[in-house]
Amino acid sequence: GHVNLGIGGVMTMHNVGSALSPALGGYVAAHYGYANAFLVLAAVATVALIFWAVGSRAQGNAYAAAA
């Protein structure tokens, strides 16, 4: 059901991130330096953290409204 779909989506994005992170980091490091590669990957992680926090809060509100 819905739980399987959610877990599948999370695992898909986890694996996509694992596959693209070295390529993105390597490209940025080769063209702009290691410090900038770290900053770019940190920015991507920060955006992901914000999405997670907003999604968790919205899901918590949905559960509270259903109860």
Side-chain angles (χ1 to χ4, degrees):
H2 291 97
V3 173
N4 293 336
L5 181 63
I7 292 172
V10 168
M11 292 305 297
T12 299
M13 296 317 304
H14 179 270
N15 290 326
V16 167
S18 295
L20 294 181
S21 178
L24 176 62
Y27 176 82
V28 174
H31 289 81
Y32 304 105
Y34 287 106
N36 290 325
F38 176 79
L39 292 174
V40 167
L41 294 177
V44 170
T46 301
V47 169
L49 180 63
I50 291 169
F51 280 138
W52 173 80
V54 169
S56 294
R57 185 173 181 98
Q59 184 179 14
N61 290 341
Y63 284 136

